[in-house]
Amino acid sequence: MSSRQQTVKRFSKWVIIAHWTNALAFFALYITALPLYTDFFSWMYPIFGGPENLRLLHRIFAVIFVLPPLVMLIVDPKSLFHWLKQTLTWRKEDIQFFVKFPKEFFGGHVKDMPKQDFFNAGEKLNSLLTITCAILLIGSGIVMWMPELFPLALIQWAYPLHNIAFGLSVAVVVGHIYLSLGHPGSKASMQGMTKGDVPVKYAKEHHGKWYDELVAKGEIKEEKPVKKGKGA
Amino acid sequence: MTTKYSKLVDVTRCDGCRACMVMCKNWNDLPVEPEEFKGSYQSHDKCGANTWNVLTFTEHETENGGFEWLFRHSACMHCTDAACVKVCPEDAMHYTEFGTVNTNYDKCVGCGYCVQNCPFGIVQLTTLVDEKGKEYEQAQKCTMCVDRLQEGMKPACVEVCHMDALVYGDKADMVALAEERLAKVKDRYPNANIYNPIGVDGTQTFYLLADKPSVYGLPENPKVPTSATVWKDYAQPLGKAMLGVTTMAVIGGFISNKLFNKQGEEGGNHDE
């Protein structure tokens, strides 16, 4: 990899803060949930000072988990709504993405991937599942936290829903982390979520439509075809 | 567990003396909980955290316009398939060697899942204070006097019942006795029935009722709530499996990338 690459801004400071706060809270919730989920993890109780303390911690992290979208609404609504709009917009290219994606996932190289948005179809699916799980988890969590405010049937259903959303969200997160850390070609996306910018080459390969827009706006110079030399 | 022990409540013998309530309070050191007079002979609305046993007085109009009192000793049913045991995340609710359901107070954290799922609305939380003055909650209900059972004695309420409306023994014997009694009272109470609901695989406190269960304020077909079954029998095991499937997919992806993708586009995978 050459040391000097043309980069382009991808995420605002607030998006990065919100993402990592959410991630941190999610893991804290995940860990404090394990002993509540299965006896296999009961050995964790003493570490957290008993079941009561663990439950208290779970609720504290729950509040932190709920905060990022609310804070984003105030400090950076533009990024928040851009993300939501993209997540909810599905086109033909997004569906085609999933036909080609398995090959890419298991190490192949897909050359004719249809041009993707600022968020590619995989990221859109990840966002959609994350939002669904978060709504289910937060909604059922509130019912479980304050059962006296809700009818009995709702309270009884809150538990299985919390469970289902938990299982689904962990599955989503495992995939999300793998694709950002474990999969080759992930460094650039990680840079996007840590420093806020990504190499133009990465933008071109993974977010073709967004790249075209940037070029059209004159924000970046068009990347030369990579074929000429090896060290892109 | 080979033998189940049960308490048969033969309401057709009960005369409403309430000795069982008093004896229960005495033996279990339960504090007095006065309630306002609500125009009925019944002293308490229902069982609570400090009142494990309530004698209900139902004012019932018979089919020919007559009036009768229906008395019923009400307490924890000790279900064979108990919702409280199913949902308890700390294994505090458990089955005893007598086939009854008990609370392990050392494990109970007062989460209240049992309260929300008991199909009979029996379990309740009580607020206690520990030695440091800190308040905490705990699930409370009839224990079938397990401390007495372990000494070979009968539950306190059974011991004191002067009408033999409460009988305790092997479940098989109690079922036989209930059937014998049912045959005897059928003339007097045509609606009489044995209430040992199958929705919870039968209960260790079961009844010979003089009328339909609903007349006594009992659910006709109690069962473990569907939500509890979905939660504990499907969602939770499936969640664990899904965790496994995604983990396997990721490990598979990692290995196949290592094996087949030798170009190494961006260098190492883990140096991030």
Side-chain angles (χ1 to χ4, degrees), chain A residues 4-196:
Chain A
R4 284 197 180 193
Q5 276 184 317
Q6 196 192 354
T7 60
V8 60
K9 187 168 186 275
R10 183 156 160 82
F11 293 120
S12 77
K13 173 183 79 194
W14 284 111
V15 171
I16 296 167
I17 293 171
H19 176 267
W20 292 110
T21 311
N22 181 269
L24 195 82
F26 181 86
F27 280 109
L29 283 165
Y30 173 71
I31 289 164
T32 50
L34 285 177
L36 306 176
Y37 191 62
T38 151
D39 290 341
F40 187 72
F41 294 101
S42 346
W43 54 269
M44 285 171 67
Y45 278 142
I47 301 173
F48 290 97
E52 295 88 349
N53 269 333
L54 196 94
R55 273 153 206 270
L56 179 66
L57 282 172
H58 194 71
R59 289 173 187 203
I60 291 169
F61 293 129
V63 174
I64 300 173
F65 182 72
V66 174
L67 282 179
L70 300 179
V71 173
M72 281 298 281
L73 204 59
I74 299 160
V75 297
D76 190 1
K78 211 179 126 211
S79 300
L80 181 71
F81 287 118
H82 176 241
W83 171 57
L84 284 175
K85 199 184 158 207
Q86 285 250 317
T87 299
L88 297 171
T89 312
W90 288 77
R91 297 199 183 85
K92 180 166 97 252
E93 308 87 79
D94 295 314
I95 311 300
Q96 285 164 351
F97 174 90
F98 290 108
V99 181
K100 317 244 173 181
F101 180 72
K103 193 183 161 198
E104 175 97 32
F105 183 84
F106 288 106
H109 194 68
V110 180
K111 281 183 188 137
D112 54 345
M113 184 63 90
K115 286 185 176 180
Q116 297 291 304
D117 269 337
F118 180 88
F119 291 105
N120 70 31
E123 290 167 340
K124 285 182 182 181
L125 179 70
N126 178 69
S127 304
L128 208 59
L129 288 169
T130 306
I131 294 167
T132 312
C133 289
I135 290 171
L136 280 171
L137 286 168
I138 294 167
S140 56
I142 290 171
V143 174
M144 289 153 80
W145 192 341
M146 297 151 211
E148 61 279 1
L149 302 178
F150 301 95
L152 188 64
L154 199 62
I155 300 165
Q156 289 178 347
W157 277 105
Y159 295 102
L161 285 178
H162 207 72
N163 255 242
I164 291 163
F166 166 66
L168 187 60
S169 63
V170 170
V172 172
V173 164
V174 168
H176 182 64
I177 293 173
Y178 173 69
L179 286 167
S180 64
L181 282 181
H183 198 261
S186 68
K187 269 199 161 169
S189 69
M190 200 60 185
Q191 186 186 334
M193 231 355 138
T194 48
K195 297 198 184 86

Side-chain angles (χ1 to χ4, degrees), chain A residues 1 37 39 45 51 55 105-107 109 147 152 155-157 159-160 163-164 170-171 174 178 181 183 185 187 190, chain B residues 89-91 109 111 113 116 225 227 231 235-236 239-240 242-243 246 250 253-254 256-257 261 265-266 269 272:
Chain A
M1 206 197 305
Y37 191 62
D39 290 341
Y45 278 142
R55 273 153 206 270
F105 183 84
F106 288 106
H109 194 68
L152 188 64
I155 300 165
Q156 289 178 347
W157 277 105
Y159 295 102
N163 255 242
I164 291 163
V170 170
V174 168
Y178 173 69
L181 282 181
H183 198 261
K187 269 199 161 169
M190 200 60 185
Chain B
E90 306 301 334
D91 289 333
V109 293
C111 68
Y113 295 1
Q116 289 146 6
S227 51
W231 170 22
Q236 204 153 319
K240 289 174 196 166
M242 266 183 69
L243 228 68
T246 41
V250 165
F254 182 76
S256 65
N257 270 300
N261 191 354
E265 282 175 306
E266 296 275 353
N269 298 321
E272 187 57 54

Side-chain angles (χ1 to χ4, degrees), chain B residues 86-105:
Chain B
K86 186 179 269 270
V87 300
C88 181
E90 306 301 334
D91 289 333
M93 286 290 177
H94 63 282
Y95 301 107
T96 67
E97 65 266 40
F98 305 98
T100 55
V101 177
N102 243 23
T103 320
N104 183 333
Y105 299 120

